[in-house]
Amino acid sequence: MDDREGFFDEKILEYRNRARKEKYATLETGMYIMNELVPFERRMLFGEKISIMLPESFVNLPSDLAKAKYMSEQRPQIIMTSLDTTVNIGLSYMDVKVEISQIKEIMNQSKSALKNTNPAIIFHDSKVEEDIDLPLAWFEFKSYGLDKSVYNLMFVARAHSKMLHGSFNCSYDNALEWREAARQMVYSIREVKENQNEGA
């Protein structure tokens, strides 16, 4: 009897979790991630040239932790992180002109560079979006840290005719929880027009 009750309790909990994830499935509604409702807000970056939807709780990663997490001096210009620093999104806006037709090539070059640096990397889905307001390309991959596997989503976009490069990462164990939110964050990136904030 106890086992049966436990089974039904588990099924009810599973159903409730699924229903919540279906109801809160966009950045605008907030999303249920790790059994918590995560609210998102639009943040202005790079001198208010670019905006992106990020979790409200995300903060700037302190520089000492940034150096530890991103060993290379080529670390992202902006790194936002969860309060426990386990979920990160980094962005760099470069003074490099880029054409829409170059986005796929840049993505493929990034993949090749990663594979050359770390042959153990496993690539997953990828997509090139040339016919949307902010042309972009992204790809997902699994990498290996010192003590755990990491889920990564890397992307390149064309904003104000220049290159925006970014990456999202979290523990691979939590990839299914964060994957959809990560993709939606990438698609939420917008160019901010010069007069867009006036009177706002």
Side-chain angles (χ1 to χ4, degrees):
M1 185 71 175
D2 286 345
D3 286 348
R4 209 180 322 168
E5 282 179 3
F7 172 79
F8 283 119
D9 286 346
E10 202 171 289
K11 286 296 174 187
I12 289 167
L13 192 60
E14 187 181 309
Y15 172 78
R16 283 179 180 162
N17 285 339
R18 190 163 62 244
R20 285 190 308 194
K21 286 196 172 189
E22 287 171 1
K23 182 178 179 182
Y24 299 97
T26 69
L27 305 185
E28 286 72 24
T29 61
M31 299 181 78
Y32 261 95
I33 302 171
M34 310 292 291
N35 293 320
E36 286 185 19
L37 181 59
V38 177
F40 290 76
E41 64 182 4
R42 186 161 289 280
R43 305 267 188 101
M44 299 288 182
L45 304 174
F46 301 109
E48 301 196 346
K49 288 187 174 75
I50 293 165
S51 72
I52 182 174
M53 294 284 282
L54 294 173
E56 288 182 5
S57 60
F58 270 32
V59 296
N60 283 304
L61 184 66
S63 59
D64 56 331
L65 289 176
K67 288 175 183 174
K69 276 182 174 284
Y70 298 81
M71 302 295 189
S72 167
E73 288 301 317
Q74 299 298 313
R75 69 182 63 89
Q77 295 164 355
I78 294 175
I79 305 169
M80 306 296 292
T81 186
S82 57
L83 294 178
D84 62 3
T85 73
T86 61
V87 185
N88 309 275
I89 185 165
L91 301 107
S92 295
Y93 186 47
M94 304 171 193
D95 192 17
V96 176
K97 288 276 185 181
V98 63
E99 300 298 329
I100 295 172
S101 58
Q102 294 176 295
I103 288 175
K104 183 177 181 179
E105 182 187 345
I106 294 168
M107 180 187 78
N108 288 334
Q109 287 173 354
S110 297
K111 290 175 80 171
S112 295
L114 282 167
K115 195 68 175 174
N116 289 337
T117 306
N118 189 347
I121 280 175
I122 299 170
F123 293 107
H124 296 307
D125 288 353
S126 65
K127 196 160 192 178
V128 179
E129 301 271 22
E130 295 181 345
D131 298 321
I132 59 177
D133 288 344
L134 192 97
L136 59 86
W138 57 263
F139 62 95
E140 298 170 312
F141 63 96
K142 180 181 184 179
S143 62
Y144 299 88
L146 293 175
D147 55 353
K148 62 183 177 181
S149 302
V150 180
Y151 164 79
N152 304 266
L153 186 152
M154 190 168 282
F155 60 92
V156 59
R158 181 179 186 263
H160 299 293
S161 300
K162 296 180 181 178
M163 187 163 72
L164 177 70
H165 188 274
S167 62
F168 171 93
N169 63 68
C170 70
S171 164
Y172 202 81
D173 291 341
N174 299 329
L176 290 179
E177 292 283 339
W178 277 100
R179 186 185 195 189
E180 180 58 27
R183 290 183 179 186
Q184 288 194 33
M185 282 189 268
V186 171
Y187 282 100
S188 78
I189 298 169
R190 296 286 181 271
E191 294 176 338
V192 180
K193 309 303 180 188
E194 283 187 20
N195 61 351
Q196 197 166 315
N197 291 319
E198 290 178 12

